Amino acid sequence: MRSRSPSVNSSVSGLRRPSLPGRTISRLSYITSAEHGPDGATVGRAEQQITEEIEEIKRYEDFTTIDWVQDAAREQLRRRARKRETVGFFERKGLFGIRRKLWESYDAGQAWIVVTLVGAAIGLNAAFLNIVTEWLSDVKLGYCTTAFYLNESFCCWGAENGCPEWRRWSSFWPINYFLYFVFSIIFASTSASLVKSFAPYAAGSGISEIKCIIAGFVMKGFLGFWTLLIKSICLPLAIASGLSVGKEGPSVHYAVCTGNVISRFFDKYKRNAAKTREILSACAAAGVAVAFGSPIGGVLFSLEEMSSYFPLKTMWRSYFCALVATAVLAAMNPFRTGQLVMFTVRYDRDWHFFEVVFFIFIGVFGGLYGALVIKWNLRAQAFRKKYLSKYPIVEATMLAAGTALLCYPNMFLRIDMTESMEILFLECEGDHDYDGLCDAKNRWSMVLSLLFATVMRTFLVVISYGCKVPAGIFVPSMAIGASFGRMIGILVEALHASFPGSRFFAACEPDIPCITPGTYAFLGAGAALSGIMHITVSVVVIMFELTGALTYILPTMIVVGTTKAVSTYFPPGGIADRMISFNGFPFLDTKEEHTFHVSVSSVMTPVSQTTLIPSVGLTLRALETLLRKTTFQGFPVVENRSSKVLLGYVGRTELRYAIDKAKKEQSLSQDAKCIFFAPASTAARTPSALTPPVTFEQLATSSSVPTIDFSRFVDPTPLAVHPRMALETVMEVFKKIGPRVVLVELKGRLAGLVTVKDCLKYQFKVEAQERDGDGDGDGDGRVDRFEVYLRDRLKRAAEWARDCVGRVSNGRIELGHGEARGERLLRPTRADASGERDSFGPRDGEPDGGILDGTEDDDEGVELRDRS
């Protein structure tokens, strides 16, 4: 590998390209101080300073992709610089040597210090949110006469079915109905207003975006302090408003925000994206751990769903962070019951093998539920983006108002979803009876009530998930599964009561309850969670940690396995993965496997459509014009534009930094020549004979024609592949190595380049063609015609609503005339983040939102403002 020390040459003779065999993927020089000679330490410090300055600039490049190869190379450079600084320190005796050893020990233990602090902060925040959420949810129904700040469970401590100290707002039920409605509107509008005004990134769940961030996509402000603060304040308000949203998904977001904010106080993580990625993965595990009281399940969730890179050390740190968070939450004991979550339950009855039939039925429901909600929620998101994107506060308020009107009459929809699950999970023994749920004479009325709750909650989840408030989908899905499962359990119990002597129920013992409807609710919750997220192992472990019963591991595995099998008949990916495609994030899922049977040359951007930089001959004026007129994030460096012999690759940030630095050090002429690849000397040069660095001032005055040598900023060994390499192999390179761009060369000449966006566009095109090919049958044709008919009816309803709103507001409010973000992103005036081409229009099968690149630098283009 060549050194990055600049040199001045006026001739281009002898230009040689580094050989391809054994090519590495770093752009930094790792020559030791001994090899550098007497000025080696100066060279190392200068290289490190330049690298850190460029890295600081790149931290603020929004909607770009981290090149993990370059990040690893920069970390290696920092390690070698520290090693040179510590040469001889450990051999010395005295105070200075001891201080150095202590500093090295502290540097090595920073990871454990950070995860400890982060875990404790996540546990404290989770306890606070649990307490506030329960009080806000109960204050809609009544108040405590002894202390207004107590919720119903604390006010009636020790009582099973209420107490005189807890009173409704009025003895006249219409007044209670009206106050319930008013509180819901106030909570929802307040939450949406705070989110819109201070931290738009606090809206939604955040899991889709965090998956992309951990994979290397930069979203400035998404994990910032403002997002953490507003998410923590608005989440209880959104839950208490009655919207069909949960706090378990957003708990992952605020946990990762906590880790990002705290880790920024440590230099080791402030300047290293790979180290920060480890902390973010650990925080995601801790967020799930405090949400479900399941530290092991949280680690498995981070492994199965969140992280594209999960080495052994990350697993240990994730486990430790989840352990600290759950320990702090348990010490806080927010429910004063010793439970980490409200719906923790313990079962002491066994199950029977004849119930496997009903377990499989519940698993089928979970798969169908996930497919239904994912499909129609994406339709609702598209409708929201097109017609309602300008009115997030009005939308959230109207949703809360409609939810309150529809849910108050139903006993299971009126209360908080976590409280509802706690009731549905319980066995029918002792005093655990909620409004006659366990009474045999109320079975059919309870079945109808649970069926209505299941259907209505499903509809509300479809239209509510995605509104501009902190909103998760874990708990709403589990509540839907719990209500459906409890309904099935009651029906099975009624069947057993009607035919107690049937051979089907021969395993039941006399005088002992045979069917436990609460277990069906528990299994239904697991099936719905697995169906909506398409996760398996982590669901089983989470449900096991919720019950603590080994007996029900096998039924849970049967239910989740059935749900997974049913889900395979529908488009792949859970709601988080589908939202990534819908929003246009450049993310390659490591869990997906594709067989395209094409080479990378079918996907790459050809060299004719690529902006090239010649190694010599380009003036400073022409270079600045090129940067001004293009938005590419990098440029291939070639010998000349006719031969196209590949010499390296230079990033836009490095190039802009080098120009600014040159102008700062010396006034340069616009006609100064730019050199991007220093010619090789005819004489053999050993590393010890390398010259010390030359400043830009020396470069400008060393010849009659001023020249600027940018060769130190050029990556002479970019990752390059042959045009006939299989596309699947190149996609694996992007997934496992993480470069921003892969060059395609043939016999030393540049043939094109390929990025993640190119791979995704081709993948979407192939999937769309497969769907079109599968839709030739009569059955699929009927489904398509039904969807067209339904879409037409929805469009007419939207137009009618728009006209009504316009008439009522006298034309002051107009719905649907704003251009959606997805339509703007698909205009052919943008450019890809990696410099491969101008963004084309939407190809067949490409997501509606387009694929985001590094050019959405205005708030209007991305709908979200920057709050770092």
Side-chain angles (χ1 to χ4, degrees), residues 277-572:
R277 176 166 63 168
E278 298 176 3
I279 297 299
L280 300 186
S281 299
C283 294
V288 175
V290 296
F292 293 102
S294 172
I296 301 177
V299 174
L300 291 177
F301 178 84
S302 181
L303 170 63
E304 185 177 2
E305 178 66 13
M306 299 299 297
S307 302
S308 56
Y309 177 74
F310 204 82
L312 184 62
K313 63 178 181 180
T314 302
M315 183 181 71
W316 279 112
R317 288 167 184 169
S318 301
Y319 172 75
F320 186 76
C321 188
L323 175 64
V324 172
T326 50
V328 172
L329 181 61
M332 294 292 294
N333 195 12
F335 303 112
R336 294 297 183 266
T337 59
Q339 299 176 351
L340 297 179
V341 291
M342 180 179 288
F343 45 87
T344 301
V345 66
R346 295 289 181 267
Y347 294 120
D348 53 7
R349 298 179 189 168
D350 205 348
W351 57 281
H352 307 87
F353 276 100
F354 69 82
E355 295 180 277
V356 171
V357 178
F358 306 107
F359 296 161
I360 293 175
F361 182 72
I362 292 175
V364 172
F365 165 80
L368 296 176
Y369 161 80
L372 174 71
V373 171
I374 290 173
K375 178 176 182 178
W376 289 103
N377 179 256
L378 292 178
R379 302 284 178 88
Q381 297 276 32
F383 178 86
R384 175 179 290 113
K385 182 178 293 186
K386 184 175 183 180
Y387 293 100
L388 304 175
S389 59
K390 291 186 177 180
Y391 312 102
I393 301 176
V394 175
E395 178 199 359
T397 305
M398 296 302 293
L399 281 174
T403 302
L405 290 175
L406 294 173
C407 292
Y408 187 83
N410 186 273
M411 55 186 290
F412 299 106
L413 298 177
R414 183 188 312 134
I415 58 178
D416 182 60
M417 284 178 287
T418 55
E419 185 180 354
S420 172
M421 280 193 292
E422 180 188 22
I423 293 168
L424 295 173
F425 285 175
L426 291 176
E427 298 178 351
C428 285
E429 290 183 353
D431 297 330
H432 301 298
D433 188 8
Y434 176 70
D435 287 354
L437 178 63
C438 297
D439 197 341
K441 66 181 181 181
N442 296 331
R443 280 176 181 163
W444 296 110
S445 62
M446 288 297 163
V447 167
L448 294 176
S449 181
L450 289 168
L451 179 61
F452 175 80
T454 302
V455 175
M456 183 56 62
R457 184 77 76 186
T458 302
F459 170 73
L460 293 175
V461 166
V462 167
I463 65 175
S464 299
Y465 181 69
C467 64
K468 300 304 180 182
V469 296
I473 202 170
F474 284 19
V475 164
S477 297
M478 293 178 68
I480 292 169
S483 60
F484 179 82
R486 186 77 184 207
M487 180 184 70
I488 298 299
I490 293 175
L491 291 175
V492 175
E493 189 180 34
L495 184 65
H496 174 258
S498 301
F499 305 97
S502 173
R503 294 181 59 185
F504 186 77
F505 299 107
C508 296
E509 300 180 7
D511 302 328
I512 296 178
C514 181
I515 307 298
T516 307
T519 60
Y520 288 77
F522 165 78
L523 295 174
L529 178 59
S530 176
I532 197 66
M533 295 298 298
H534 284 211
I535 52 179
T536 53
V537 179
S538 53
V539 171
V540 174
V541 175
I542 287 172
M543 303 309 286
F544 161 68
E545 290 186 278
L546 281 176
T547 60
L550 289 170
T551 339
Y552 283 90
I553 282 187
L554 183 57
T556 307
M557 295 176 66
I558 293 173
V559 169
V560 172
T562 305
T563 300
K564 178 66 174 177
V566 173
S567 300
T568 57
Y569 289 94
F570 299 96

Side-chain angles (χ1 to χ4, degrees), residues 198-220:
F198 296 99
Y201 276 140
S205 172
I207 290 181
S208 303
E209 292 84 354
I210 291 172
K211 288 184 67 173
C212 298
I213 290 173
I214 292 178
F217 190 56
V218 178
M219 298 181 67
K220 183 174 58 175

Side-chain angles (χ1 to χ4, degrees), residues 33 63 237 287 390 394 396 425 483 491 567 602 648 655 669 682 686 779 861:
S33 58
F63 287 92
L237 293 171
K390 291 186 177 180
V394 175
F425 285 175
S483 60
L491 291 175
S567 300
S602 303
L655 199 55
S669 170
T682 55
T686 62

Side-chain angles (χ1 to χ4, degrees), residues 226-259:
W226 273 103
T227 304
L228 171 62
L229 179 63
I230 298 301
K231 192 105 178 180
S232 301
I233 294 175
C234 296
L235 182 57
L237 293 171
I239 302 301
S241 68
L243 289 170
S244 293
V245 296
K247 67 176 184 295
E248 275 63 21
S251 68
V252 177
H253 189 185
Y254 74 68
V256 176
C257 287
T258 304

Side-chain angles (χ1 to χ4, degrees), residues 135-175:
W135 181 77
L136 290 175
S137 299
D138 287 345
V139 80
K140 296 190 302 181
L141 302 174
Y143 63 97
C144 184
T145 56
T146 56
F148 185 76
Y149 56 86
L150 295 178
N151 59 24
E152 185 176 4
S153 61
F154 284 167
C155 184
C156 301
W157 189 257
E160 290 291 340
N161 295 314
C163 64
E165 289 79 9
W166 179 263
R167 295 181 183 177
R168 297 281 181 174
W169 289 107
S170 174
S171 57
F172 188 50
W173 73 265
I175 295 180

